[in-house]
Tab-separated table of all heavy atoms in Angstrom:
chain	number	residue	atom	x	y	z
A	48	HIS	N	22.159	28.892	11.645
A	48	HIS	CA	21.080	28.988	12.634
A	48	HIS	C	19.853	28.217	12.183
A	48	HIS	O	19.576	28.096	11.007
A	48	HIS	CB	20.699	30.453	12.848
A	48	HIS	CG	21.842	31.295	13.340
A	48	HIS	ND1	22.444	31.104	14.554
A	48	HIS	CD2	22.503	32.327	12.740
A	48	HIS	CE1	23.416	31.985	14.708
A	48	HIS	NE2	23.480	32.734	13.623
A	49	ASP	N	19.116	27.731	13.153
A	49	ASP	CA	17.831	27.087	12.889
A	49	ASP	C	16.718	28.097	13.121
A	49	ASP	O	16.677	28.755	14.151
A	49	ASP	CB	17.589	25.891	13.818
A	49	ASP	CG	18.446	24.720	13.424
A	49	ASP	OD1	18.874	24.709	12.264
A	49	ASP	OD2	18.671	23.845	14.280
A	50	ILE	N	15.841	28.228	12.159
A	50	ILE	CA	14.664	29.075	12.317
A	50	ILE	C	13.473	28.151	12.287
A	50	ILE	O	13.156	27.596	11.253
A	50	ILE	CB	14.577	30.102	11.181
A	50	ILE	CG1	15.895	30.879	11.089
A	50	ILE	CG2	13.422	31.053	11.408
A	50	ILE	CD1	15.962	31.780	9.875
A	51	GLN	N	12.870	27.931	13.429
A	51	GLN	CA	11.834	26.914	13.496
A	51	GLN	C	10.474	27.523	13.785
A	51	GLN	O	10.362	28.529	14.461
A	51	GLN	CB	12.162	25.889	14.588
A	51	GLN	CG	13.394	25.051	14.234
A	51	GLN	CD	13.562	23.912	15.212
A	51	GLN	OE1	13.085	23.980	16.329
A	51	GLN	NE2	14.206	22.867	14.779
A	52	GLY	N	9.486	26.872	13.244
A	52	GLY	CA	8.106	27.249	13.509
A	52	GLY	C	7.215	26.093	13.173
A	52	GLY	O	7.332	25.518	12.108
A	53	SER	N	6.315	25.740	14.090
A	53	SER	CA	5.402	24.615	13.877
A	53	SER	C	6.155	23.349	13.511
A	53	SER	O	5.800	22.641	12.578
A	53	SER	CB	4.398	24.960	12.774
A	53	SER	OG	3.653	26.086	13.114
A	54	ARG	N	7.247	23.067	14.273
A	54	ARG	CA	8.012	21.835	14.106
A	54	ARG	C	8.653	21.716	12.744
A	54	ARG	O	8.826	20.627	12.231
A	54	ARG	CB	7.137	20.606	14.365
A	54	ARG	CG	6.607	20.516	15.762
A	54	ARG	CD	5.773	19.278	15.888
A	54	ARG	NE	6.534	18.080	15.567
A	54	ARG	CZ	7.219	17.382	16.448
A	54	ARG	NH1	7.287	17.775	17.681
A	54	ARG	NH2	7.855	16.294	16.085
A	55	ARG	N	9.031	22.798	12.103
A	55	ARG	CA	9.679	22.681	10.811
A	55	ARG	C	10.824	23.675	10.721
A	55	ARG	O	10.808	24.715	11.347
A	55	ARG	CB	8.707	22.908	9.653
A	55	ARG	CG	8.029	24.266	9.709
A	55	ARG	CD	7.122	24.447	8.522
A	55	ARG	NE	6.404	25.704	8.614
A	55	ARG	CZ	5.671	26.205	7.649
A	55	ARG	NH1	5.550	25.565	6.522
A	55	ARG	NH2	5.043	27.345	7.794
A	56	THR	N	11.816	23.383	9.936
A	56	THR	CA	12.932	24.276	9.727
A	56	THR	C	12.658	25.099	8.490
A	56	THR	O	12.335	24.564	7.443
A	56	THR	CB	14.235	23.470	9.530
A	56	THR	OG1	14.443	22.679	10.686
A	56	THR	CG2	15.418	24.410	9.351
A	57	ILE	N	12.772	26.424	8.604
A	57	ILE	CA	12.446	27.304	7.504
A	57	ILE	C	13.715	27.669	6.749
A	57	ILE	O	14.764	27.884	7.326
A	57	ILE	CB	11.761	28.579	8.032
A	57	ILE	CG1	10.484	28.181	8.792
A	57	ILE	CG2	11.447	29.547	6.911
A	57	ILE	CD1	9.787	29.325	9.452
A	58	GLY	N	13.593	27.818	5.429
A	58	GLY	CA	14.734	28.168	4.601
A	58	GLY	C	15.618	26.980	4.340
A	58	GLY	O	15.169	25.843	4.351
A	59	LEU	N	16.897	27.239	4.130
A	59	LEU	CA	17.815	26.175	3.781
A	59	LEU	C	18.780	25.847	4.904
A	59	LEU	O	19.721	25.100	4.711
A	59	LEU	CB	18.610	26.564	2.520
A	59	LEU	CG	17.761	26.704	1.262
A	59	LEU	CD1	18.625	27.206	0.124
A	59	LEU	CD2	17.147	25.374	0.891
A	60	ALA	N	18.589	26.484	6.079
A	60	ALA	CA	19.452	26.158	7.199
A	60	ALA	C	19.186	24.738	7.631
A	60	ALA	O	18.062	24.276	7.629
A	60	ALA	CB	19.193	27.114	8.366
A	61	VAL	N	20.206	24.005	8.006
A	61	VAL	CA	20.076	22.593	8.336
A	61	VAL	C	20.423	22.375	9.793
A	61	VAL	O	21.446	22.852	10.276
A	61	VAL	CB	21.017	21.742	7.455
A	61	VAL	CG1	20.887	20.281	7.823
A	61	VAL	CG2	20.666	21.934	5.985
A	62	LYS	N	19.552	21.691	10.489
A	62	LYS	CA	19.786	21.406	11.900
A	62	LYS	C	20.803	20.293	12.032
A	62	LYS	O	20.638	19.231	11.451
A	62	LYS	CB	18.481	20.993	12.569
A	62	LYS	CG	18.643	20.719	14.064
A	62	LYS	CD	17.308	20.343	14.658
A	62	LYS	CE	17.437	20.068	16.130
A	62	LYS	NZ	16.155	19.673	16.735
Side-chain angles (χ1 to χ4, degrees):
H48 300 296
D49 286 339
I50 307 172
Q51 292 189 336
S53 300
R54 297 180 58 90
R55 58 178 176 171
T56 301
I57 301 175
L59 295 175
V61 179
K62 182 179 180 181

